[in-house]
Amino acid sequence: MNKPHSVGIVEPKVAHFDSPLELTSKSRLDQYQLVYETYGELNSDASNAVLVCHALSSDHHAAGRHAGQKQSTGWWDALVGPGKPLDTERFFIVCSNNLGGCSGSTGPSSINPDTNKPYGPDFPIVTVSDWVESQARLSDQLGIQQWAAVIGGSLGGMQVLQWSISFPERVRHAIVIASTAKLTAQNIGFNDVARQAIRTDPEFFDGNYYQHGTRPRRGLRVARMLGHITYLSDDSMAHKFGRSLQQKAKFDYEFTPEFEVESYLRYKGDQFVDRFDANTYLLMTKALDYFDPAADADGTLSGALSAASANFLVVSFTSDWRFSVERSREIVRALQSNKLNVSYAEVESPHGHDSFLLSIDHYTSVLRAYMNRIHHDLNSYGEVTG
Amino acid sequence: MNKPHSVGIVEPKVAHFDSPLELTSKSRLDQYQLVYETYGELNSDASNAVLVCHALSSDHHAAGRHAGQKQSTGWWDALVGPGKPLDTERFFIVCSNNLGGCSGSTGPSSINPDTNKPYGPDFPIVTVSDWVESQARLSDQLGIQQWAAVIGGSLGGMQVLQWSISFPERVRHAIVIASTAKLTAQNIGFNDVARQAIRTDPEFFDGNYYQHGTRPRRGLRVARMLGHITYLSDDSMAHKFGRSLQQKAKFDYEFTPEFEVESYLRYKGDQFVDRFDANTYLLMTKALDYFDPAADADGTLSGALSAASANFLVVSFTSDWRFSVERSREIVRALQSNKLNVSYAEVESPHGHDSFLLSIDHYTSVLRAYMNRIHHDLNSYGEVTG
């Protein structure tokens, strides 16, 4: 086996859909497109395909780089590539930008064909179920009847759960990382603070800022700064920043940043505002809030998962306080009570919720071992049916 | 003993100071005033005086009601009054609004005598040490040479610690509740998000909003919503709100509040904006950030507390994640290593940081027992010296 390396230069593709999509909200999208990337080769019986579902602020660009852009490494490049846990020499990996996104899939900043103006606030609220439905249509276009695995962290893990519920026969393995079957009141509270920061920015114009030539930069920046705190752990922030001062020996007793942590959060906020659309941020946080498959069943998660037939791998991180290990254990218990195959790893990590994006030894070895098993079954499967 | 009751109608008093106050920041206030309230009677040898220090968003009005205002119960009325743990039939209780405040003490919204305009952003940054210095001058005016106890929760607890360091001979008992000897990076991060929400509000005008006839309502509202989440615990929010919907049976799939927790936080935010000044909020969060007595000593808290001679009671609450029990234990360890008398109570409470404001059985009985002991010593003291 070669040393793990990058998939190199990748190019996004676009899939168009002209058949109307009925949404959970009862709204409808008559036509839409999804931008996506693929890494590796689909095998002859299309049995080695893996779908990667992205989280709140990422997109279809999971691995490799875009031509001519140095700072364009994919968000999961640590885990996706030749010789990496999601090995592109074995698997055909697909990642699409979610509907409502701002990276090429149809979303609030896209032109509404009915008005020839950006959708803005008229873009309908989309749910995790809607995303899974749209991803299933993409699977059809790609000729993938069944995914070897559907995998995702955080909001991506919610999509994995929903795939196993909506299309049980299309998912052989479901890998749910640093996720939850529903948000807590605290999670919803943080989301609403972020939304209020954006929506009360005077440059938001009720979501019609595109026509005003403005963007609610200040609100989105605050939202992202807040988000960042919840992605890290108290300990990792203490370790990374502590009370270190920002390039000075003494306090200035002014409102300029005194502590490194202030500069870091402001920098992260500014960076984000340059690349992300506020209306998309709003939609993504709403999708998080609404997700609660148990509520649509008999109130129990095992009821919601009663149709699921996939094999599951569930991974959580000890210092994740956004979606704590207890949230993952709830998922594991529901799967076990349904007599499904489930592996569970509680990974010791100081890095909080963001751990799912990082290359952490225990985490990558768990993923690698699980993917090896899928690959092994794939070959046996090929031998029998091939 | 009578059933505990309210101190009834109270009236704030004002103390003027014409002797300049040199601040930690090297700025100076040539004159200022402190508004304060007192409950109970000072005894003949002025030995029964208790100073209550307030937290971020409260003020001098700790107990009772203001005449003609029904909704004006003091913020610590649960604990301060005749027959209550801070028993006004035994103690003379003083609470002043901190310098930089917005309830009557000199602060950013006060008129700067040099310009005849509100101070606004020219009001200097004040620290916990500065507050303690100003409170010591108030003590002088009141004829109180030594406090029987100085007591406070959260930011109030920091003032108690500082009192024991700055004026060891003036504090017999120091009661530090739900506090910390310094903020963590996460704490500072949350504070900076709140500040950025306020400071980037276009109606902030660099703090000169008084002259513009505006107020940064949106930013202050977001700051308070965020604060509220950190004052509650994940569990208490789950218990209080869970995923309950806001007066509806089904989701609307709109940006109006769907969940009760959203309405609650927005309501709390709106309420706060009506009563609080944004510049004061900024100053209070900065005072929190800067507080770190160990940094001014040899880097250790025991070093910082080496001059302290008070008897200490430290109280923490199990579900407080803003200032966790570990922060209180650090204080206790430093006091113990200095061979000081210290009692410590870790109170089981689901209510998070806000617990210090509430009447919780274990908490009130700890406070009552400790204050009884002070009262008992007071009488012995009186018998010996009187």
Side-chain angles (χ1 to χ4, degrees):
Chain A
M1 199 168 76
N2 281 330
K3 207 168 160 250
H5 54 284
S6 167
V7 296
I9 302 294
V10 294
E11 206 167 341
K13 305 174 181 77
V14 178
H16 297 277
F17 301 87
D18 291 322
S19 155
L21 186 69
E22 304 284 345
L23 302 171
T24 312
S25 67
K26 309 291 179 206
S27 296
R28 199 168 79 163
L29 279 173
D30 286 329
Q31 46 179 281
Y32 59 96
Q33 67 176 38
L34 294 180
V35 61
Y36 66 101
E37 289 182 4
T38 68
Y39 322 109
E41 298 294 328
L42 188 63
N43 63 8
S44 58
D45 59 355
S47 63
N48 72 333
V50 172
L51 179 67
V52 171
C53 302
H54 72 73
L56 194 152
S57 60
S58 36
D59 56 23
H60 57 285
H61 182 43
R65 288 183 294 111
H66 289 156
Q69 294 177 47
K70 278 192 178 167
Q71 305 284 326
S72 65
T73 306
W75 58 270
W76 229 11
D77 199 72
L79 300 179
V80 179
K84 293 181 183 178
L86 298 181
D87 191 343
T88 52
E89 287 173 342
R90 293 174 163 184
F91 296 103
F92 176 66
I93 293 173
V94 179
C95 184
S96 68
N97 183 214
N98 285 348
L99 213 49
C102 53
S103 298
S105 291
T106 303
S109 54
S110 307
I111 297 299
N112 180 348
D114 293 344
T115 63
N116 280 320
K117 289 181 194 159
Y119 281 98
D122 295 334
F123 195 88
I125 298 255
V126 280
T127 63
V128 170
S129 292
D130 297 332
W131 286 335
V132 166
E133 182 66 37
S134 70
Q135 289 160 358
R137 294 187 181 189
L138 176 63
S139 320
D140 294 340
Q141 280 205 14
L142 296 174
I144 296 161
Q145 184 48 39
Q146 185 187 59
W147 295 97
V150 181
I151 182 171
S154 192
L155 180 54
M158 292 177 173
Q159 294 162 62
V160 177
L161 279 176
Q162 189 62 50
W163 260 99
S164 78
I165 294 168
S166 299
F167 299 102
E169 73 292 349
R170 301 190 75 167
V171 186
R172 281 209 301 288
H173 295 270
I175 306 179
V176 180
I177 306 169
S179 194
T180 178
K182 64 180 179 209
L183 293 198
T184 63
Q186 189 189 70
N187 294 146
I188 296 171
F190 278 127
N191 279 348
D192 200 48
V193 173
R195 284 191 293 263
Q196 290 301 302
I198 294 168
R199 297 184 62 85
T200 60
D201 186 322
E203 299 193 289
F204 181 66
F205 292 108
D206 289 326
N208 289 305
Y209 48 87
Y210 315 103
Q211 285 102 301
H212 287 81
T214 63
R215 299 173 62 209
R217 295 182 62 89
R218 293 175 286 243
L220 184 58
R221 178 172 176 267
V222 164
R224 181 61 169 184
M225 289 175 70
L226 170 57
H228 244 288
I229 300 177
T230 69
Y231 305 150
L232 303 175
S233 73
D234 191 10
D235 280 352
S236 67
M237 291 185 80
H239 185 75
K240 197 167 182 175
F241 309 108
R243 296 180 52 87
S244 303
L245 301 197
Q246 172 61 17
Q247 300 178 321
K248 59 178 94 173
K250 284 185 191 176
F251 293 133
D252 290 329
Y253 296 103
E254 288 181 3
F255 284 99
T256 49
E258 297 274 30
F259 296 95
E260 269 183 24
V261 64
E262 295 173 279
S263 302
Y264 174 83
L265 291 173
R266 294 180 195 189
Y267 171 73
K268 286 288 180 182
D270 288 333
Q271 238 187 353
F272 187 66
V273 163
D274 288 335
R275 73 170 177 87
F276 214 81
D277 180 62
N279 279 323
T280 289
Y281 199 83
L282 295 173
L283 287 178
M284 296 282 159
T285 62
K286 289 294 270 185
L288 277 163
D289 286 5
Y290 287 123
F291 185 67
D292 184 6
D296 302 331
D298 57 358
T300 70
L301 187 54
S302 55
L305 287 160
S306 60
S309 57
N311 303 296
F312 279 81
L313 170 63
V314 178
V315 181
S316 68
F317 299 93
T318 51
S319 59
D320 184 351
W321 63 279
R322 185 174 170 85
F323 300 151
S324 74
V325 296
E326 186 45 41
R327 301 286 87 76
S328 285
R329 289 183 197 153
E330 282 164 5
I331 296 171
V332 170
R333 281 196 293 270
L335 294 169
Q336 284 173 333
S337 79
N338 287 2
K339 315 275 184 227
L340 289 165
N341 287 328
V342 49
S343 303
Y344 175 53
E346 209 163 281
V347 175
E348 194 78 41
S349 160
H351 302 294
H353 187 61
D354 264 358
S355 299
F356 83 91
L357 295 167
L358 308 176
S359 178
I360 296 166
D361 282 352
H362 180 197
Y363 172 40
T364 53
S365 65
V366 163
L367 273 188
R368 189 183 292 277
Y370 197 86
M371 294 308 293
N372 278 349
R373 188 181 126 198
I374 298 180
H375 182 245
H376 179 265
D377 292 349
L378 198 65
N379 289 341
S380 324
Y381 174 79
E383 280 159 27
V384 176
T385 64
Chain B
M1 198 169 75
N2 281 330
K3 204 166 163 253
H5 55 284
S6 167
V7 296
I9 300 295
V10 294
E11 205 167 341
K13 306 173 180 78
V14 178
H16 297 276
F17 302 87
D18 291 321
S19 156
L21 186 68
E22 303 285 344
L23 302 171
T24 312
S25 68
K26 310 291 180 205
S27 294
R28 199 170 78 164
L29 279 174
D30 286 329
Q31 47 180 281
Y32 59 94
Q33 68 176 37
L34 293 180
V35 63
Y36 66 100
E37 289 183 2
T38 67
Y39 322 110
E41 298 293 327
L42 188 63
N43 63 8
S44 56
D45 59 356
S47 63
N48 72 333
V50 172
L51 178 66
V52 171
C53 302
H54 72 72
L56 196 152
S57 59
S58 38
D59 56 23
H60 57 285
H61 181 44
R65 287 183 295 110
H66 288 157
Q69 294 176 48
K70 276 194 182 168
Q71 306 284 326
S72 66
T73 305
W75 58 270
W76 229 12
D77 199 73
L79 301 180
V80 179
K84 295 183 181 176
L86 298 181
D87 191 343
T88 52
E89 287 174 341
R90 294 172 162 186
F91 295 103
F92 176 64
I93 293 173
V94 179
C95 184
S96 68
N97 183 213
N98 285 348
L99 214 48
C102 53
S103 299
S105 291
T106 303
S109 54
S110 306
I111 296 299
N112 180 347
D114 293 345
T115 62
N116 282 320
K117 288 180 194 160
Y119 280 98
D122 295 333
F123 195 88
I125 298 256
V126 280
T127 64
V128 170
S129 291
D130 298 331
W131 286 335
V132 167
E133 183 64 39
S134 69
Q135 288 160 358
R137 295 188 180 188
L138 176 63
S139 319
D140 295 339
Q141 280 206 12
L142 296 175
I144 296 162
Q145 183 50 36
Q146 184 187 59
W147 295 99
V150 181
I151 182 170
S154 192
L155 179 54
M158 292 177 172
Q159 294 162 63
V160 176
L161 279 176
Q162 190 60 50
W163 260 98
S164 77
I165 294 167
S166 300
F167 300 102
E169 72 291 352
R170 301 190 75 167
V171 185
R172 279 209 302 287
H173 294 270
I175 306 179
V176 180
I177 306 168
S179 194
T180 178
K182 64 179 179 210
L183 293 200
T184 63
Q186 189 189 69
N187 293 148
I188 296 171
F190 278 128
N191 278 349
D192 200 47
V193 173
R195 284 192 292 263
Q196 291 300 302
I198 293 168
R199 295 184 64 85
T200 61
D201 186 321
E203 299 193 288
F204 181 66
F205 291 106
D206 289 325
N208 288 306
Y209 47 88
Y210 316 104
Q211 287 101 301
H212 287 82
T214 63
R215 298 174 65 208
R217 295 182 63 89
R218 292 174 287 242
L220 184 58
R221 176 173 178 267
V222 164
R224 181 61 168 183
M225 288 175 71
L226 170 56
H228 244 287
I229 300 177
T230 70
Y231 306 150
L232 303 175
S233 73
D234 191 12
D235 279 354
S236 66
M237 291 184 80
H239 185 75
K240 198 166 180 173
F241 309 108
R243 296 180 52 86
S244 303
L245 302 196
Q246 174 60 16
Q247 301 178 318
K248 58 178 94 172
K250 283 186 192 176
F251 292 133
D252 289 328
Y253 295 103
E254 288 181 6
F255 284 100
T256 49
E258 297 274 32
F259 296 95
E260 268 182 24
V261 64
E262 296 173 279
S263 302
Y264 174 83
L265 291 173
R266 295 181 194 189
Y267 171 73
K268 286 288 180 182
D270 288 333
Q271 236 187 357
F272 187 66
V273 164
D274 288 335
R275 74 171 177 87
F276 214 80
D277 179 61
N279 279 323
T280 289
Y281 199 83
L282 294 172
L283 288 177
M284 296 281 159
T285 63
K286 290 294 270 183
L288 278 163
D289 287 5
Y290 287 123
F291 185 67
D292 184 7
D296 302 331
D298 57 358
T300 69
L301 187 55
S302 55
L305 287 160
S306 60
S309 58
N311 302 295
F312 279 81
L313 168 64
V314 178
V315 181
S316 68
F317 299 93
T318 51
S319 59
D320 184 350
W321 62 279
R322 184 176 171 84
F323 300 151
S324 73
V325 295
E326 186 45 41
R327 301 286 85 77
S328 285
R329 288 183 198 154
E330 284 163 5
I331 296 171
V332 170
R333 282 195 294 270
L335 294 168
Q336 283 172 333
S337 78
N338 287 0
K339 315 274 184 229
L340 289 164
N341 287 328
V342 48
S343 302
Y344 176 51
E346 210 164 281
V347 175
E348 195 78 42
S349 160
H351 303 294
H353 187 62
D354 265 357
S355 299
F356 82 91
L357 295 167
L358 308 177
S359 178
I360 296 166
D361 282 351
H362 180 196
Y363 172 41
T364 53
S365 65
V366 163
L367 274 187
R368 187 182 293 276
Y370 198 86
M371 295 307 293
N372 278 349
R373 187 182 126 197
I374 299 179
H375 182 246
H376 179 264
D377 292 349
L378 197 67
N379 289 342
S380 323
Y381 174 80
E383 280 162 24
V384 176
T385 64

